[in-house]
Amino acid sequence: FSAGQIYEEVWGGGDSENCGTAVASVIGQIRRKLTPDMPKAGYIRTVLGSGYKFEVPQGIAE
């Protein structure tokens, strides 16, 4: 999902062109809650130039 798509769904539209900081902040908070011991090895991956994607890390039982 792009930062604009996330912003529009969470905050209901508005100025999604300048939403990067708000979305990045919330993504960081979610990462810390999902994997408090290793937030960078968690479920939300940053796709450079595109946005974010959700994936289950290897070694985690589904």
Side-chain angles (χ1 to χ4, degrees):
F1 299 97
S2 71
Q5 289 172 316
I6 294 169
Y7 187 86
E8 288 178 22
E9 288 298 319
V10 173
W11 287 283
D15 187 14
S16 64
E17 300 255 337
N18 300 315
C19 65
T21 305
V23 172
S25 175
V26 171
I27 293 291
Q29 292 173 23
I30 293 170
R31 282 180 171 146
R32 284 189 294 276
K33 288 180 181 187
L34 288 175
T35 53
D37 52 338
M38 295 176 54
K40 297 220 183 230
Y43 296 93
I44 301 172
R45 297 277 182 215
T46 301
V47 180
L48 293 176
S50 223
Y52 302 92
K53 82 177 190 178
F54 185 85
E55 64 182 31
V56 177
Q58 291 183 355
I60 302 285
E62 294 183 25

